[in-house]
């Protein structure tokens, strides 16, 4: 457990080189005139190797949590910590605001040849985003007391949101010739699904806290690196690879969800020690 408690710190620290690597990928990997990927560019491989090394480090640091499979949820993630509540509430507020903003963009942006079901999907996504934000705020309170069957439902809405988030992102980018600029973000979205799945699994299936720690950490690093890397590249003058407004907002929502995962990860890797201190 000693090395696991540094996992959330490392996940945040490695965001810094991740952001730089992703920005350099945007800078060197795409034609500045049309935003199309440059053939033979190596920065995509540098980014891929970096994230693989991060994953290997996180797997090693999360491994001791396999011994906590039979530990009750309240001991794994129960906390009265102010820091956790603050992060969860901020994450929830960002998701609520982002969901409202996405609803506005969906209602006011006209997409050519867009099917009716596609717009309905995005409207549903905006609504679920708002609900996920409310549930994030609810978790901030519920994890400070004993979990009930009703409060346990709060873990399912973020899981549903992550699935819709992946689906909407894939639908919007799968036929785009600039797909390589979205590729790492899509992988990050898959990791968000797996992380929220294992969060809900602590209550609804066989708990795998080590898997939650692993997927949570790598999802945090990839989500922040992708969104902030695009922002940094834009500040560096890389405007050829321009993301649509909805894509930028979805990247921000990934970061907001990652903030909730980081809060859960912080409690998961230190919560047992907090519980033991309270009992003592």
């Amino acid at each position: 457990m000693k090395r696991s408690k540094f996992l959330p710190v490392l996940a945040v620290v490695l965001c810094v080189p991740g952001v730089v690597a992703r920005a350099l990928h945007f800078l060197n990997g795409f034609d500045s005139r049309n935003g199309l990927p440059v053939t033979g560019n190596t920065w995509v491989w540098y980014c891929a190797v970096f994230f693989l090394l991060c994953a290997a480090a996180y797997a090693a640091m999360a491994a001791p949590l396999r011994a906590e499979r039979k530990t009750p949820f309240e001991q794994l993630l129960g906390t009265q910590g102010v820091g956790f509540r603050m992060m969860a509430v901020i994450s929830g507020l960002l998701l609520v605001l982002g969901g409202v903003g996405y609803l506005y963009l969906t209602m006011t942006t006209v997409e050519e040849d867009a099917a009716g079901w596609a717009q309905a999907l995005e409207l549903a996504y905006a609504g679920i985003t708002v609900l996920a934000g409310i549930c994030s705020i609810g978790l901030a309170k519920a994890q400070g007391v004993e979990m009930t069957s009703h409060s346990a439902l709060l873990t399912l809405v973020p899981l549903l949101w992550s699935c819709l988030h992946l689906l909407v992102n894939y639908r919007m980018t799968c036929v785009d010739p600039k797909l390589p600029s979205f590729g790492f973000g899509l992988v990050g979205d898959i990791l968000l699904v797996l992380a929220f799945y294992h969060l809900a699994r602590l209550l609804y299936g066989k708990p795998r806290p080590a898997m939650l720690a692993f997927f949570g950490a790598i999802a945090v690093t990839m989500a922040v690196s992708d969104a902030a890397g695009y922002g940094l590249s834009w500040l560096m003058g890389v405007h050829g690879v321009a993301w649509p407004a909805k894509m930028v907002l979805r990247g921000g929502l990934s970061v907001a969800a990652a903030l909730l995962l980081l809060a859960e990860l912080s409690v998961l890797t230190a919560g047992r020690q907090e519980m033991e201190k309270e009992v003592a």
Side-chain angles (χ1 to χ4, degrees), residues 19-268:
V19 169
V20 174
R22 191 73 170 104
L24 290 173
H25 176 216
F26 281 114
L27 179 64
N28 300 293
F30 301 90
D31 192 312
S32 60
R33 295 166 298 178
N34 53 31
L36 295 176
V38 176
T39 304
N41 184 266
T42 57
W43 273 100
V44 63
W45 299 110
Y46 295 154
C47 289
V49 170
F50 171 75
F51 289 127
L52 286 173
L53 292 175
C54 289
Y58 297 156
M61 296 184 74
L65 288 168
R66 288 181 294 183
E68 304 294 328
R69 290 181 180 180
K70 296 183 179 179
T71 303
F73 182 93
E74 288 75 15
Q75 292 186 33
L76 281 175
L77 291 177
T79 180
Q80 297 287 344
V82 176
F84 166 76
R85 292 191 176 189
M86 183 182 300
M87 291 172 67
V89 168
I90 291 174
S91 171
L93 291 174
L94 290 175
L95 286 170
V96 170
L97 292 174
V100 172
Y102 201 87
L103 178 62
Y104 172 78
L105 289 177
T106 301
M107 297 294 292
T108 58
T109 303
V110 179
E111 294 182 42
E112 296 183 4
D113 301 324
W117 67 265
Q119 186 175 32
L121 176 65
E122 291 200 271
L123 290 174
Y125 169 71
I128 292 297
T129 301
V130 173
L131 288 178
I134 295 172
C135 288
S136 177
I137 296 172
L139 280 171
K141 179 180 179 181
Q143 288 180 221
V145 296
E146 184 176 354
M147 272 282 183
T148 65
S149 58
H150 295 292
S151 56
L153 292 173
L154 296 172
T155 62
L156 298 181
V157 178
L159 173 59
L160 174 60
W161 170 84
S162 65
C163 294
L164 277 177
H165 182 68
L166 173 62
L167 181 60
V168 170
N169 257 345
Y170 179 74
R171 187 198 75 82
M172 298 290 286
T173 60
C174 63
V175 295
D176 196 314
K178 302 175 185 177
L179 179 60
S181 71
F182 309 125
F184 287 109
L186 288 174
V187 173
D189 292 339
I190 294 172
L191 294 170
L192 283 174
V193 173
L194 293 171
F196 281 116
Y197 165 73
H198 282 285
L199 176 61
R201 186 174 179 173
L202 290 180
L203 289 164
Y204 289 98
K206 295 181 179 179
R208 293 291 186 272
M211 299 299 284
L212 170 58
F214 169 72
F215 286 119
I218 190 63
V220 167
T221 300
M222 287 203 70
V224 174
S225 297
D226 187 59
Y230 172 77
L232 179 59
S233 70
W234 190 87
L235 292 174
M236 295 167 65
V238 185
H239 299 159
V241 193
W243 285 0
K246 285 185 178 180
M247 186 68 196
V248 174
L249 182 52
R250 288 196 301 273
L253 290 172
S254 294
V255 175
L259 182 61
L260 175 60
L261 289 174
L262 182 63
E264 299 288 0
L265 184 59
S266 300
V267 177
L268 177 65

